[in-house]
């Protein structure tokens, strides 16, 4: 009788152990399934060029109630199929290639695929003079990631506190040429680069690339350079003659004039 009881208990324990193993296996399988479905975040700077073009960056400025400066917010629209992460402290606002504002927002953000977010007051206490500057660019981490070329056109009328919307000319999917205005353009007589062929010449000198076809389009503050073959944005030449190439950063006009020339003198 005792032997039968011992045998029965042993069989029961084995059955329970087997059920536990099955449950564990089932839970593990379920967990693995959930993990595989979860979409991972990709840092913006690690995206391919084609994916970067599917993100659009729009900026707006609002007058600070405490002083005459402005707060600048950014809306990021993600039309890619990836969740894209950003560190707001890596955004900078530049005028003619000179950094004029940085962000103190230290909370990292993620823009899910097909969605958008707004980073309120990304740049704080920015003067109207800076926002009305020529060749304004917003870059992420470095000059290889220029995400927007906004045109704020701030009015200095103290009676007006309305938010000034900007036009994005960054790497959005439906990339548009920034709207131009006679008030935001430098007078023709003060421009170093007045023609498309001058802009193309400076870009080729800055990059050392004399082959291939380029399309040069006048935009806010200068000339946008795109590859004729692919249609991709590859650089920007300001009216002041400074070249921002996606491949190797900024080359100032002064540096160009004093560099060893391999294509003859800079075009007048």
């Amino acid at each position: 009788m005792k032997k039968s009881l011992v045998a029965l208990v042993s069989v029961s324990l084995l059955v329970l152990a087997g059920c536990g193993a099955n449950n564990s296996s089932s839970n593990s399988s379920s967990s693995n399934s959930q993990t595989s479905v979860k979409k991972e975040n990709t840092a913006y700077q690690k995206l391919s060029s084609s994916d970067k073009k599917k993100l659009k960056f729009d900026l707006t400025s609002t007058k600070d109630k405490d002083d005459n400066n402005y707060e600048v917010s950014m809306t990021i629209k993600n039309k890619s199929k990836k969740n894209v992460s950003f560190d707001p402290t890596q955004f900078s606002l530049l005028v003619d290639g000179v950094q004029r504002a940085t962000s103190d927002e230290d909370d990292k953000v993620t823009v899910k695929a097909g969605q958008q977010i707004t980073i309120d007051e990304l740049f704080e206490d920015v003067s109207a003079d800076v926002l009305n500057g020529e060749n304004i660019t917003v870059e992420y981490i470095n000059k290889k990631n220029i995400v927007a070329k906004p045109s704020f056109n701030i009015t200095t009328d103290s009676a007006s506190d309305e938010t000034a919307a900007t036009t994005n000319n960054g790497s959005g999917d439906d990339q548009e040429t920034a709207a131009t205005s006679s008030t935001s353009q430098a007078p023709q007589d003060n421009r170093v680069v007045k023609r498309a062929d001058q802009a193309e010449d400076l870009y080729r000198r800055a990059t050392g690339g004399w082959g291939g076809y380029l399309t040069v389009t006048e935009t806010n503050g200068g000339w946008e350079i795109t590859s004729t073959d692919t249609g991709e944005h590859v650089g920007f030449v300001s009216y002041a003659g400074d070249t921002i190439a996606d491949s190797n950063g900024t080359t100032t006009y002064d540096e160009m004039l004093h560099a060893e020339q391999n294509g003859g003198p800079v075009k007048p």
Side-chain angles (χ1 to χ4, degrees), residues 62-79:
T62 306
K63 191 172 183 180
D64 193 325
K65 296 179 180 179
D66 298 328
D67 53 41
N68 291 324
N69 288 335
Y70 290 80
E71 318 293 354
V72 178
S73 300
M74 174 186 282
T75 297
I76 306 173
K77 300 176 182 178
N78 182 7
K79 295 183 180 180

Side-chain angles (χ1 to χ4, degrees), residues 172-183:
D173 187 32
D174 50 350
Q175 195 171 43
E176 306 162 346
T177 300
T180 59
S181 166
S182 59
T183 58

Side-chain angles (χ1 to χ4, degrees), residues 59-97:
L59 290 95
T60 56
S61 61
T62 306
K63 191 172 183 180
D64 193 325
K65 296 179 180 179
D66 298 328
D67 53 41
N68 291 324
N69 288 335
Y70 290 80
E71 318 293 354
V72 178
S73 300
M74 174 186 282
T75 297
I76 306 173
K77 300 176 182 178
N78 182 7
K79 295 183 180 180
S80 75
K81 295 182 180 181
K82 297 179 180 179
N83 296 339
V84 184
S85 61
F86 295 88
D87 178 358
T89 61
Q90 298 298 316
F91 283 105
S92 299
L93 186 148
L94 301 90
V95 179
D96 277 331

Side-chain angles (χ1 to χ4, degrees), residues 84-213:
V84 184
S85 61
F86 295 88
D87 178 358
T89 61
Q90 298 298 316
F91 283 105
S92 299
L93 186 148
L94 301 90
V95 179
D96 277 331
V98 179
Q99 189 179 87
R100 302 301 298 272
T102 56
S103 176
D104 293 328
E105 295 290 329
D106 55 3
D107 292 332
K108 292 180 174 60
V109 297
T110 297
V111 191
K112 293 184 177 180
Q115 297 186 18
Q116 68 178 50
I117 65 164
T118 297
I119 306 176
D120 292 323
E121 300 181 2
L122 177 66
F123 304 118
E124 299 181 301
D125 295 323
V126 185
S127 71
D129 288 341
V130 169
L131 296 182
N132 284 335
E134 297 175 19
N135 189 23
I136 298 179
T137 56
V138 177
E139 66 182 33
Y140 185 68
I141 299 180
N142 54 41
K143 291 179 175 59
K144 292 183 178 180
N145 296 300
I146 296 177
V147 299
K149 298 174 185 175
S151 176
F152 292 95
N153 294 326
I154 300 295
T155 59
T156 55
D157 183 2
S158 59
S160 177
D161 291 332
E162 296 181 359
T163 299
T166 71
T167 302
N168 171 73
N169 191 32
S171 51
D173 187 32
D174 50 350
Q175 195 171 43
E176 306 162 346
T177 300
T180 59
S181 166
S182 59
T183 58
S184 63
Q185 301 253 4
Q188 183 76 24
D189 292 343
N190 294 335
R191 297 178 186 174
V192 173
V193 184
K194 301 178 181 180
R195 305 187 313 274
D197 63 310
Q198 290 176 303
E200 180 177 351
D201 179 64
L202 288 174
Y203 174 81
R204 291 188 182 279
R205 291 173 186 276
T207 59
W210 298 93
Y213 294 97

